[in-house]
Amino acid sequence: NHSENTRKRETNTEKMLANLASLLGLEVFPTRIEAYDISNLGSEHITAGMIVAENARFKKSDYRYFKIRSVSGAPDDYASMREVILRRIAHLEDTSGSYSIRPDLILLDGGRGHVSVVREALREAGVDIPVFGLVKDEHHKTRTVVGEEEEIGIARDTLVFPFLYKLQEEVHR
């Protein structure tokens, strides 16, 4: 019976990731997803959190914190996000360790502006990884996934919605 439950969970996970891929128009099954969030605790202490989900399971050993170095003065979320992503992808050259594993999808806690800045940074770095933002509604519930132009409603997808909601809660911690 244990294996039946496991199989069922794996089937649901695959279905959910397949749904997510088709909703976002991804060419690659999003096995490894990295999500980022910037938090400002006063202008001296800007940090970013990175969480990782592999096959829709949180992989805490791969979580990272970044202290923002390049932004001084007023907090600038866009510049901070850009710095974090560029520092992250610089490590794709690593020969070992979780940093050398390329994410299939990057999700940002933020809207179009964040997405645009990060997509541009990746283009400049010559790295092609899909990037989307998670936008909350006024009740702080994940409402849509956004690209630079597109806005994808996820509330009706009973598999994708709970996963992205959990992901967004997790990256906020």
Side-chain angles (χ1 to χ4, degrees), residues 1-169:
N1 194 9
H2 163 74
S3 63
E4 199 177 297
N5 285 344
T6 308
R7 227 187 351 267
K8 195 172 172 207
R9 195 174 55 238
E10 282 169 3
T11 308
N12 274 346
T13 297
E14 277 174 26
K15 206 181 287 171
M16 187 279 291
L17 290 173
N19 288 7
L20 183 60
S22 83
L23 279 169
L24 302 183
L26 305 178
E27 287 160 27
V28 179
F29 207 67
T31 308
R32 183 182 171 96
I33 298 172
E34 293 181 359
Y36 294 83
D37 181 37
I38 303 284
S39 62
N40 296 313
L41 305 164
S43 55
E44 300 84 64
H45 303 286
I46 304 171
T47 59
M50 163 187 144
I51 68 163
V52 177
E54 235 167 49
N55 287 315
R57 282 220 165 93
F58 294 128
K59 193 174 178 196
K60 293 192 160 55
S61 59
D62 285 6
Y63 289 14
R64 296 287 180 272
Y65 282 101
F66 298 84
K67 274 201 165 102
I68 304 302
R69 303 196 272 248
S70 65
V71 181
S72 54
D76 178 341
D77 265 19
Y78 294 144
S80 301
M81 195 63 92
R82 181 187 163 83
E83 176 190 326
V84 167
I85 294 296
L86 289 174
R87 279 167 60 190
R88 161 64 188 102
I89 61 166
H91 287 283
L92 289 174
E93 306 299 310
D94 294 0
T95 47
S96 65
S98 67
Y99 260 2
S100 63
I101 305 167
R102 183 193 180 91
D104 301 307
L105 174 62
I106 291 175
L107 294 173
L108 311 172
D109 192 59
R112 283 203 173 86
H114 288 92
V115 171
S116 180
V117 163
V118 169
R119 284 184 179 178
E120 186 187 330
L122 289 175
R123 269 194 301 274
E124 285 168 19
V127 175
D128 188 18
I129 298 170
V131 178
F132 291 90
L134 297 171
V135 179
K136 292 184 163 180
D137 62 17
E138 58 283 3
H139 309 295
H140 290 286
K141 290 264 191 275
T142 307
R143 179 183 51 121
T144 51
V145 178
V146 296
E148 284 170 288
E149 314 290 322
E150 65 277 40
E151 185 166 308
I152 301 134
I154 52 163
R156 283 195 200 86
D157 191 304
T158 53
L159 291 172
V160 171
F161 179 75
F163 170 68
L164 290 181
Y165 179 75
K166 277 200 310 233
L167 197 75
Q168 201 168 26
E169 293 300 296

